[in-house]
Amino acid sequence: MAQRAIREFDAKRLIGAGGEGVLVGPGREVPRLGKGKWVIKPDELVGKRAKHGLVKVGNGEEIRAFLDEYRGKEVEISGVRDRLEYFLIEPFVEHEEEWFVAIRSSAEGDEILWSKQGGVEVEKQKPESILVPLGKEYKGQWRDLYRKFVELDFASLEINPLAKAGSKFVPLDVKARLDDAAKFWHLKDWGEIEFPDPWGRRKLPEEKVIEALDEKSGASLKLTVLNPKGRIWLLVAGGAASVVYADTVVDLGYVKELANYGEYSGNPSEEETYQYVKAFLSVMLKEGVKNKKLLIGGGVANFTDVAKTFKGMVQALNEISGELKKQGVEILVRRGGPNYKEGLAMMEQFGQEGEIKVQVFGPETAMTKIINVCLQ
């Protein structure tokens, strides 16, 4: 399970509290706002918005002026700078009390926490709580909210404050995470859900290409660029292997040189591997840094056809072999599994024909030895 944060707009929509709220993103015009007070705030997966002066209450004209001032503006929140692009606009709610309620999943079950004192200092309060064991029914005060939490596969949900207006509760601020593994059976329930980038971390075009490939594939295709100017690039098969390779580079003291983290696994097709490696190489070569090291690693595959995946990989490598040579890229390969000898032979041939330094190692070589060879 991957727990991924969603926008406040979507969280409110899913729990049935969207009301008249609207999400205004890049290029979208502000809808006509009726009379009365409205609230506008960034919807960018950040907290402490009020403390940073990023929550505005006012009439329609004042809301538009706030949006004009802050849309596209770069600001610093909690020590991280990024650009404001998405804003939530909704009616202001007059209320008498502010509560706090949260639900979070654990190995034992779902914990529900609540307090009659919510707001900015909620962390100083000790909330009441109850643990709902897995598979058990809950019939307490928050049963309707909990039912939505379970049915829609929330991983966590926090409402603070939860305004009490007369006899009704109205969520004012909501933070939530969904289990993204459930996306395919919630296409109707979730609607056009988006999993935004964390504040201060916007995906590169190549990362978005690979993310789209991953969503359409039964294999696992991941890429996170840590340092586009780094010299050590990891093209690794298998989730466990990707962790081992990255950790080894860090343990050897080269964390500042580590360019990326990612994996291709689950027996991707030749075409999927080609598309993945093509996007990977595009971002690897973009900065023009000389003398990079490309580590093509992995354990001993159980069912992934090494020759098939390497055929797609070599196709992508051949397309930019001239640039690889120009930038002095050295390639080190370690792989085992079905048809691995054929795959390694392809890599050796690629190196010879492209006049690129390529070293290959089979399963008899320790998986991380190529890292030591690379860094010598």
Side-chain angles (χ1 to χ4, degrees), residues 142-157:
W142 311 107
R143 59 187 178 278
D144 292 338
L145 183 65
Y146 180 66
R147 177 177 54 81
K148 291 182 179 293
F149 180 88
V150 174
E151 290 179 353
L152 294 174
D153 282 300
F154 279 92
S156 66
L157 176 65

Side-chain angles (χ1 to χ4, degrees), residues 231 233 235 277 280-281 284-285 291-297 310 313-314 316-318 320-321 324-325 328-334 344 346-348 350-352 354-361 370 373-374:
R231 292 178 54 251
W233 290 79
L235 185 52
V277 177
F280 175 96
L281 294 172
M284 187 186 85
L285 297 172
N291 301 318
K292 298 186 189 75
K293 307 289 186 177
L294 173 57
L295 278 61
I296 301 175
F310 275 24
M313 189 179 297
V314 168
L317 288 166
N318 271 318
I320 44 82
S321 60
L324 290 169
K325 182 179 179 181
V329 177
E330 179 182 354
I331 301 175
L332 298 99
V333 187
R334 190 275 187 187
L344 295 181
M346 291 183 200
M347 287 293 180
E348 285 189 311
F350 160 74
Q352 292 167 1
E355 297 181 341
I356 296 167
K357 187 176 181 180
V358 177
Q359 298 184 63
V360 301
F361 305 86
I370 64 171
V373 173
C374 161

